[in-house]
mmCIF file of all heavy atoms in Angstrom:
data_model
loop_
_atom_site.group_PDB
_atom_site.id
_atom_site.type_symbol
_atom_site.label_atom_id
_atom_site.label_comp_id
_atom_site.label_asym_id
_atom_site.label_seq_id
_atom_site.Cartn_x
_atom_site.Cartn_y
_atom_site.Cartn_z
ATOM 1 N N ARG A 2 88.763 -44.557 -104.629
ATOM 2 C CA ARG A 2 89.432 -44.703 -105.925
ATOM 3 C C ARG A 2 88.478 -45.261 -106.977
ATOM 4 O O ARG A 2 88.487 -44.822 -108.123
ATOM 5 C CB ARG A 2 90.660 -45.597 -105.788
ATOM 6 C CG ARG A 2 91.777 -44.905 -105.048
ATOM 7 C CD ARG A 2 93.029 -45.715 -104.928
ATOM 8 N NE ARG A 2 93.148 -46.730 -105.940
ATOM 9 C CZ ARG A 2 93.873 -47.831 -105.829
ATOM 10 N NH1 ARG A 2 94.544 -48.048 -104.731
ATOM 11 N NH2 ARG A 2 93.937 -48.705 -106.782
ATOM 12 N N MET A 3 87.636 -46.231 -106.586
ATOM 13 C CA MET A 3 86.668 -46.782 -107.543
ATOM 14 C C MET A 3 85.674 -45.724 -107.986
ATOM 15 O O MET A 3 85.355 -45.621 -109.170
ATOM 16 C CB MET A 3 85.921 -47.964 -106.932
ATOM 17 C CG MET A 3 86.722 -49.230 -106.898
ATOM 18 S SD MET A 3 85.693 -50.565 -106.284
ATOM 19 C CE MET A 3 86.841 -51.355 -105.192
ATOM 20 N N VAL A 4 85.176 -44.932 -107.043
ATOM 21 C CA VAL A 4 84.240 -43.867 -107.393
ATOM 22 C C VAL A 4 84.937 -42.867 -108.311
ATOM 23 O O VAL A 4 84.369 -42.422 -109.303
ATOM 24 C CB VAL A 4 83.691 -43.176 -106.121
ATOM 25 C CG1 VAL A 4 82.970 -41.884 -106.471
ATOM 26 C CG2 VAL A 4 82.756 -44.114 -105.371
ATOM 27 N N HIS A 5 86.178 -42.546 -108.003
ATOM 28 C CA HIS A 5 86.937 -41.594 -108.823
ATOM 29 C C HIS A 5 87.153 -42.140 -110.237
ATOM 30 O O HIS A 5 86.958 -41.423 -111.215
ATOM 31 C CB HIS A 5 88.279 -41.288 -108.150
ATOM 32 C CG HIS A 5 89.118 -40.327 -108.902
ATOM 33 N ND1 HIS A 5 88.827 -38.985 -108.952
ATOM 34 C CD2 HIS A 5 90.234 -40.506 -109.653
ATOM 35 C CE1 HIS A 5 89.732 -38.383 -109.704
ATOM 36 N NE2 HIS A 5 90.591 -39.285 -110.125
ATOM 37 N N VAL A 6 87.527 -43.401 -110.342
ATOM 38 C CA VAL A 6 87.766 -44.022 -111.652
ATOM 39 C C VAL A 6 86.483 -44.090 -112.468
ATOM 40 O O VAL A 6 86.494 -43.939 -113.682
ATOM 41 C CB VAL A 6 88.390 -45.429 -111.484
ATOM 42 C CG1 VAL A 6 88.367 -46.212 -112.772
ATOM 43 C CG2 VAL A 6 89.819 -45.303 -110.981
ATOM 44 N N ASP A 7 85.339 -44.300 -111.791
ATOM 45 C CA ASP A 7 84.061 -44.359 -112.479
ATOM 46 C C ASP A 7 83.574 -42.988 -112.923
ATOM 47 O O ASP A 7 82.527 -42.873 -113.541
ATOM 48 C CB ASP A 7 82.980 -44.987 -111.579
ATOM 49 C CG ASP A 7 83.034 -46.496 -111.602
ATOM 50 O OD1 ASP A 7 83.661 -47.061 -112.507
ATOM 51 O OD2 ASP A 7 82.427 -47.111 -110.711
ATOM 52 N N HIS A 8 84.325 -41.951 -112.596
ATOM 53 C CA HIS A 8 84.001 -40.585 -112.991
ATOM 54 C C HIS A 8 82.641 -40.137 -112.466
ATOM 55 O O HIS A 8 81.911 -39.416 -113.147
ATOM 56 C CB HIS A 8 84.077 -40.416 -114.511
ATOM 57 C CG HIS A 8 85.390 -40.819 -115.077
ATOM 58 N ND1 HIS A 8 86.552 -40.131 -114.829
ATOM 59 C CD2 HIS A 8 85.747 -41.878 -115.848
ATOM 60 C CE1 HIS A 8 87.562 -40.738 -115.442
ATOM 61 N NE2 HIS A 8 87.101 -41.797 -116.057
ATOM 62 N N ILE A 9 82.289 -40.603 -111.272
ATOM 63 C CA ILE A 9 81.080 -40.107 -110.619
ATOM 64 C C ILE A 9 81.494 -38.786 -109.993
ATOM 65 O O ILE A 9 82.320 -38.758 -109.095
ATOM 66 C CB ILE A 9 80.566 -41.094 -109.548
ATOM 67 C CG1 ILE A 9 80.285 -42.448 -110.177
ATOM 68 C CG2 ILE A 9 79.333 -40.539 -108.856
ATOM 69 C CD1 ILE A 9 79.998 -43.542 -109.165
ATOM 70 N N LYS A 10 80.957 -37.706 -110.486
ATOM 71 C CA LYS A 10 81.444 -36.391 -110.074
ATOM 72 C C LYS A 10 80.381 -35.592 -109.346
ATOM 73 O O LYS A 10 79.199 -35.867 -109.436
ATOM 74 C CB LYS A 10 81.904 -35.583 -111.309
ATOM 75 C CG LYS A 10 83.086 -36.200 -112.016
ATOM 76 C CD LYS A 10 84.306 -36.179 -111.141
ATOM 77 C CE LYS A 10 85.493 -36.784 -111.865
ATOM 78 N NZ LYS A 10 86.539 -37.172 -110.980
ATOM 79 N N GLY A 11 80.859 -34.563 -108.666
ATOM 80 C CA GLY A 11 79.979 -33.596 -108.033
ATOM 81 C C GLY A 11 79.209 -34.168 -106.865
ATOM 82 O O GLY A 11 79.702 -34.995 -106.111
ATOM 83 N N ASN A 12 77.989 -33.695 -106.722
ATOM 84 C CA ASN A 12 77.158 -34.049 -105.582
ATOM 85 C C ASN A 12 76.905 -35.547 -105.494
ATOM 86 O O ASN A 12 76.896 -36.114 -104.406
ATOM 87 C CB ASN A 12 75.837 -33.276 -105.649
ATOM 88 C CG ASN A 12 75.070 -33.348 -104.353
ATOM 89 O OD1 ASN A 12 75.646 -33.187 -103.286
ATOM 90 N ND2 ASN A 12 73.791 -33.601 -104.453
ATOM 91 N N ASP A 13 76.701 -36.217 -106.645
ATOM 92 C CA ASP A 13 76.463 -37.664 -106.629
ATOM 93 C C ASP A 13 77.628 -38.410 -105.994
ATOM 94 O O ASP A 13 77.440 -39.343 -105.216
ATOM 95 C CB ASP A 13 76.231 -38.199 -108.051
ATOM 96 C CG ASP A 13 74.931 -37.717 -108.652
ATOM 97 O OD1 ASP A 13 73.977 -37.472 -107.889
ATOM 98 O OD2 ASP A 13 74.869 -37.587 -109.882
ATOM 99 N N GLU A 14 78.843 -37.996 -106.335
ATOM 100 C CA GLU A 14 80.047 -38.618 -105.791
ATOM 101 C C GLU A 14 80.102 -38.454 -104.276
ATOM 102 O O GLU A 14 80.348 -39.405 -103.541
ATOM 103 C CB GLU A 14 81.269 -37.980 -106.440
ATOM 104 C CG GLU A 14 82.593 -38.496 -105.954
ATOM 105 C CD GLU A 14 83.740 -37.801 -106.652
ATOM 106 O OE1 GLU A 14 83.843 -36.570 -106.499
ATOM 107 O OE2 GLU A 14 84.519 -38.475 -107.331
ATOM 108 N N GLU A 15 79.830 -37.256 -103.821
ATOM 109 C CA GLU A 15 79.896 -36.979 -102.389
ATOM 110 C C GLU A 15 78.812 -37.724 -101.623
ATOM 111 O O GLU A 15 79.083 -38.300 -100.563
ATOM 112 C CB GLU A 15 79.789 -35.478 -102.140
ATOM 113 C CG GLU A 15 80.990 -34.710 -102.645
ATOM 114 C CD GLU A 15 80.806 -33.212 -102.526
ATOM 115 O OE1 GLU A 15 79.984 -32.760 -101.710
ATOM 116 O OE2 GLU A 15 81.500 -32.494 -103.264
ATOM 117 N N VAL A 16 77.599 -37.721 -102.136
ATOM 118 C CA VAL A 16 76.493 -38.404 -101.462
ATOM 119 C C VAL A 16 76.778 -39.898 -101.354
ATOM 120 O O VAL A 16 76.602 -40.500 -100.289
ATOM 121 C CB VAL A 16 75.155 -38.142 -102.190
ATOM 122 C CG1 VAL A 16 74.058 -39.054 -101.679
ATOM 123 C CG2 VAL A 16 74.751 -36.680 -102.039
ATOM 124 N N LEU A 17 77.233 -40.500 -102.438
ATOM 125 C CA LEU A 17 77.537 -41.924 -102.440
ATOM 126 C C LEU A 17 78.631 -42.255 -101.435
ATOM 127 O O LEU A 17 78.486 -43.165 -100.615
ATOM 128 C CB LEU A 17 77.954 -42.374 -103.843
ATOM 129 C CG LEU A 17 78.346 -43.828 -104.018
ATOM 130 C CD1 LEU A 17 77.190 -44.753 -103.653
ATOM 131 C CD2 LEU A 17 78.793 -44.077 -105.455
ATOM 132 N N LEU A 18 79.704 -41.511 -101.447
ATOM 133 C CA LEU A 18 80.800 -41.801 -100.520
ATOM 134 C C LEU A 18 80.426 -41.514 -99.067
ATOM 135 O O LEU A 18 80.876 -42.214 -98.160
ATOM 136 C CB LEU A 18 82.057 -41.029 -100.900
ATOM 137 C CG LEU A 18 82.929 -41.723 -101.919
ATOM 138 C CD1 LEU A 18 84.128 -40.870 -102.284
ATOM 139 C CD2 LEU A 18 83.384 -43.077 -101.446
ATOM 140 N N ARG A 19 79.604 -40.516 -98.839
ATOM 141 C CA ARG A 19 79.158 -40.256 -97.462
ATOM 142 C C ARG A 19 78.351 -41.434 -96.935
ATOM 143 O O ARG A 19 78.536 -41.865 -95.802
ATOM 144 C CB ARG A 19 78.324 -38.982 -97.394
ATOM 145 C CG ARG A 19 79.141 -37.731 -97.471
ATOM 146 C CD ARG A 19 78.287 -36.502 -97.339
ATOM 147 N NE ARG A 19 79.042 -35.339 -97.756
ATOM 148 C CZ ARG A 19 78.508 -34.247 -98.255
ATOM 149 N NH1 ARG A 19 77.206 -34.139 -98.387
ATOM 150 N NH2 ARG A 19 79.273 -33.238 -98.608
ATOM 151 N N LYS A 20 77.449 -41.943 -97.766
ATOM 152 C CA LYS A 20 76.653 -43.107 -97.360
ATOM 153 C C LYS A 20 77.562 -44.289 -97.037
ATOM 154 O O LYS A 20 77.402 -44.962 -96.023
ATOM 155 C CB LYS A 20 75.691 -43.526 -98.483
ATOM 156 C CG LYS A 20 74.533 -42.612 -98.714
ATOM 157 C CD LYS A 20 73.706 -43.185 -99.860
ATOM 158 C CE LYS A 20 72.558 -42.359 -100.280
ATOM 159 N NZ LYS A 20 71.819 -42.984 -101.403
ATOM 160 N N ILE A 21 78.515 -44.532 -97.908
ATOM 161 C CA ILE A 21 79.422 -45.662 -97.726
ATOM 162 C C ILE A 21 80.279 -45.464 -96.479
ATOM 163 O O ILE A 21 80.486 -46.396 -95.700
ATOM 164 C CB ILE A 21 80.290 -45.868 -98.980
ATOM 165 C CG1 ILE A 21 79.415 -46.357 -100.138
ATOM 166 C CG2 ILE A 21 81.423 -46.850 -98.706
ATOM 167 C CD1 ILE A 21 80.117 -46.357 -101.486
ATOM 168 N N ALA A 22 80.776 -44.250 -96.281
ATOM 169 C CA ALA A 22 81.636 -43.979 -95.129
ATOM 170 C C ALA A 22 80.889 -44.208 -93.815
ATOM 171 O O ALA A 22 81.446 -44.772 -92.866
ATOM 172 C CB ALA A 22 82.191 -42.557 -95.200
ATOM 173 N N VAL A 23 79.634 -43.812 -93.755
ATOM 174 C CA VAL A 23 78.838 -44.075 -92.550
ATOM 175 C C VAL A 23 78.669 -45.582 -92.380
ATOM 176 O O VAL A 23 78.800 -46.117 -91.281
ATOM 177 C CB VAL A 23 77.471 -43.348 -92.608
ATOM 178 C CG1 VAL A 23 76.549 -43.828 -91.498
ATOM 179 C CG2 VAL A 23 77.674 -41.835 -92.519
ATOM 180 N N GLY A 24 78.419 -46.287 -93.490
ATOM 181 C CA GLY A 24 78.302 -47.741 -93.434
ATOM 182 C C GLY A 24 79.589 -48.427 -93.001
ATOM 183 O O GLY A 24 79.549 -49.500 -92.397
ATOM 184 N N LEU A 25 80.718 -47.802 -93.290
ATOM 185 C CA LEU A 25 82.009 -48.357 -92.865
ATOM 186 C C LEU A 25 82.291 -48.114 -91.388
ATOM 187 O O LEU A 25 83.212 -48.687 -90.828
ATOM 188 C CB LEU A 25 83.155 -47.753 -93.686
ATOM 189 C CG LEU A 25 83.323 -48.253 -95.107
ATOM 190 C CD1 LEU A 25 84.399 -47.454 -95.830
ATOM 191 C CD2 LEU A 25 83.670 -49.730 -95.114
ATOM 192 N N GLY A 26 81.506 -47.239 -90.778
ATOM 193 C CA GLY A 26 81.689 -47.005 -89.353
ATOM 194 C C GLY A 26 82.220 -45.630 -88.994
ATOM 195 O O GLY A 26 82.495 -45.361 -87.834
ATOM 196 N N PHE A 27 82.360 -44.740 -89.982
ATOM 197 C CA PHE A 27 82.772 -43.378 -89.672
ATOM 198 C C PHE A 27 81.572 -42.628 -89.103
ATOM 199 O O PHE A 27 80.443 -42.837 -89.521
ATOM 200 C CB PHE A 27 83.306 -42.663 -90.915
ATOM 201 C CG PHE A 27 84.609 -43.222 -91.407
ATOM 202 C CD1 PHE A 27 84.636 -44.132 -92.453
ATOM 203 C CD2 PHE A 27 85.801 -42.847 -90.814
ATOM 204 C CE1 PHE A 27 85.827 -44.659 -92.901
ATOM 205 C CE2 PHE A 27 87.005 -43.376 -91.268
ATOM 206 C CZ PHE A 27 87.015 -44.281 -92.308
ATOM 207 N N HIS A 28 81.814 -41.743 -88.148
ATOM 208 C CA HIS A 28 80.736 -41.020 -87.476
ATOM 209 C C HIS A 28 80.075 -40.033 -88.453
ATOM 210 O O HIS A 28 80.761 -39.313 -89.172
ATOM 211 C CB HIS A 28 81.281 -40.278 -86.255
ATOM 212 C CG HIS A 28 80.211 -39.834 -85.327
ATOM 213 N ND1 HIS A 28 79.421 -38.742 -85.566
ATOM 214 C CD2 HIS A 28 79.781 -40.366 -84.148
ATOM 215 C CE1 HIS A 28 78.554 -38.602 -84.591
ATOM 216 N NE2 HIS A 28 78.762 -39.578 -83.713
ATOM 217 N N ALA A 29 78.755 -40.003 -88.445
ATOM 218 C CA ALA A 29 77.987 -39.165 -89.374
ATOM 219 C C ALA A 29 78.318 -37.682 -89.237
ATOM 220 O O ALA A 29 78.255 -36.943 -90.226
ATOM 221 C CB ALA A 29 76.496 -39.400 -89.173
ATOM 222 N N VAL A 30 78.692 -37.248 -88.052
ATOM 223 C CA VAL A 30 79.023 -35.836 -87.837
ATOM 224 C C VAL A 30 80.277 -35.442 -88.623
ATOM 225 O O VAL A 30 80.371 -34.331 -89.139
ATOM 226 C CB VAL A 30 79.218 -35.554 -86.324
ATOM 227 C CG1 VAL A 30 79.762 -34.160 -86.083
ATOM 228 C CG2 VAL A 30 77.909 -35.767 -85.571
ATOM 229 N N ASN A 31 81.231 -36.358 -88.729
ATOM 230 C CA ASN A 31 82.512 -36.057 -89.377
ATOM 231 C C ASN A 31 82.592 -36.505 -90.826
ATOM 232 O O ASN A 31 83.561 -36.191 -91.507
ATOM 233 C CB ASN A 31 83.650 -36.743 -88.608
ATOM 234 C CG ASN A 31 83.741 -36.270 -87.198
ATOM 235 O OD1 ASN A 31 83.454 -35.129 -86.889
ATOM 236 N ND2 ASN A 31 84.141 -37.166 -86.310
ATOM 237 N N VAL A 32 81.604 -37.241 -91.302
ATOM 238 C CA VAL A 32 81.737 -37.910 -92.594
ATOM 239 C C VAL A 32 81.911 -36.932 -93.752
ATOM 240 O O VAL A 32 82.646 -37.218 -94.689
ATOM 241 C CB VAL A 32 80.575 -38.903 -92.822
ATOM 242 C CG1 VAL A 32 79.307 -38.202 -93.244
ATOM 243 C CG2 VAL A 32 80.963 -39.961 -93.825
ATOM 244 N N LYS A 33 81.290 -35.767 -93.715
ATOM 245 C CA LYS A 33 81.449 -34.800 -94.804
ATOM 246 C C LYS A 33 82.915 -34.405 -94.960
ATOM 247 O O LYS A 33 83.448 -34.379 -96.064
ATOM 248 C CB LYS A 33 80.590 -33.563 -94.563
ATOM 249 C CG LYS A 33 80.760 -32.512 -95.666
ATOM 250 C CD LYS A 33 80.080 -31.222 -95.331
ATOM 251 C CE LYS A 33 80.203 -30.165 -96.384
ATOM 252 N NZ LYS A 33 81.341 -30.128 -97.227
ATOM 253 N N TYR A 34 83.570 -34.126 -93.843
ATOM 254 C CA TYR A 34 84.972 -33.699 -93.883
ATOM 255 C C TYR A 34 85.889 -34.838 -94.323
ATOM 256 O O TYR A 34 86.832 -34.623 -95.081
ATOM 257 C CB TYR A 34 85.387 -33.163 -92.514
ATOM 258 C CG TYR A 34 84.465 -32.065 -92.038
ATOM 259 C CD1 TYR A 34 83.563 -32.303 -91.013
ATOM 260 C CD2 TYR A 34 84.464 -30.816 -92.651
ATOM 261 C CE1 TYR A 34 82.688 -31.300 -90.590
ATOM 262 C CE2 TYR A 34 83.592 -29.816 -92.244
ATOM 263 C CZ TYR A 34 82.708 -30.070 -91.218
ATOM 264 O OH TYR A 34 81.848 -29.089 -90.819
ATOM 265 N N ILE A 35 85.596 -36.030 -93.858
ATOM 266 C CA ILE A 35 86.404 -37.198 -94.230
ATOM 267 C C ILE A 35 86.285 -37.474 -95.716
ATOM 268 O O ILE A 35 87.289 -37.694 -96.405
ATOM 269 C CB ILE A 35 85.989 -38.428 -93.389
ATOM 270 C CG1 ILE A 35 86.350 -38.200 -91.918
ATOM 271 C CG2 ILE A 35 86.628 -39.702 -93.927
ATOM 272 C CD1 ILE A 35 85.730 -39.199 -90.958
ATOM 273 N N VAL A 36 85.066 -37.442 -96.236
ATOM 274 C CA VAL A 36 84.857 -37.710 -97.665
ATOM 275 C C VAL A 36 85.468 -36.614 -98.528
ATOM 276 O O VAL A 36 86.112 -36.906 -99.545
ATOM 277 C CB VAL A 36 83.356 -37.902 -97.967
ATOM 278 C CG1 VAL A 36 83.065 -37.835 -99.458
ATOM 279 C CG2 VAL A 36 82.867 -39.224 -97.383
ATOM 280 N N ASP A 37 85.287 -35.369 -98.132
ATOM 281 C CA ASP A 37 85.900 -34.270 -98.898
ATOM 282 C C ASP A 37 87.418 -34.460 -98.990
ATOM 283 O O ASP A 37 88.010 -34.328 -100.065
ATOM 284 C CB ASP A 37 85.591 -32.913 -98.262
ATOM 285 C CG ASP A 37 84.143 -32.489 -98.432
ATOM 286 O OD1 ASP A 37 83.413 -33.102 -99.241
ATOM 287 O OD2 ASP A 37 83.729 -31.536 -97.738
ATOM 288 N N LYS A 38 88.032 -34.788 -97.864
ATOM 289 C CA LYS A 38 89.482 -35.000 -97.833
ATOM 290 C C LYS A 38 89.866 -36.230 -98.655
ATOM 291 O O LYS A 38 90.843 -36.195 -99.418
ATOM 292 C CB LYS A 38 89.947 -35.161 -96.378
ATOM 293 C CG LYS A 38 91.429 -35.330 -96.210
ATOM 294 C CD LYS A 38 92.159 -34.039 -96.473
ATOM 295 C CE LYS A 38 93.616 -34.155 -96.083
ATOM 296 N NZ LYS A 38 94.309 -32.887 -96.179
ATOM 297 N N ALA A 39 89.096 -37.312 -98.535
ATOM 298 C CA ALA A 39 89.378 -38.537 -99.296
ATOM 299 C C ALA A 39 89.340 -38.263 -100.795
ATOM 300 O O ALA A 39 90.216 -38.727 -101.537
ATOM 301 C CB ALA A 39 88.388 -39.635 -98.922
ATOM 302 N N LEU A 40 88.357 -37.510 -101.243
ATOM 303 C CA LEU A 40 88.236 -37.218 -102.670
ATOM 304 C C LEU A 40 89.383 -36.350 -103.177
ATOM 305 O O LEU A 40 89.904 -36.576 -104.269
ATOM 306 C CB LEU A 40 86.891 -36.547 -102.965
ATOM 307 C CG LEU A 40 85.678 -37.446 -102.781
ATOM 308 C CD1 LEU A 40 84.385 -36.649 -102.925
ATOM 309 C CD2 LEU A 40 85.705 -38.609 -103.767
ATOM 310 N N VAL A 41 89.795 -35.394 -102.374
ATOM 311 C CA VAL A 41 90.934 -34.548 -102.758
ATOM 312 C C VAL A 41 92.199 -35.401 -102.854
ATOM 313 O O VAL A 41 92.954 -35.303 -103.832
ATOM 314 C CB VAL A 41 91.122 -33.388 -101.753
ATOM 315 C CG1 VAL A 41 92.468 -32.702 -101.952
ATOM 316 C CG2 VAL A 41 89.991 -32.383 -101.884
#
């Protein structure tokens, strides 16, 4: 929600959230799908 409110869009938004999601403990193999779904 913070990334969305900050209007970080496109590839930058996805890269940032993927990094954070891995740091939160989500598996790197699944992180793309999790972040895509989270953003939607």
Side-chain angles (χ1 to χ4, degrees):
R2 288 182 23 204
M3 283 185 223
V4 167
H5 180 73
V6 167
D7 278 344
H8 305 293
I9 302 170
K10 296 295 181 198
N12 193 45
D13 292 330
E14 179 180 62
E15 292 174 22
V16 169
L17 178 60
L18 274 178
R19 284 182 195 152
K20 288 180 184 180
I21 291 170
V23 169
L25 285 174
F27 292 98
H28 196 283
V30 172
N31 299 327
V32 78
K33 178 188 181 330
Y34 305 107
I35 293 168
V36 166
D37 289 347
K38 182 72 171 187
L40 292 173
V41 167

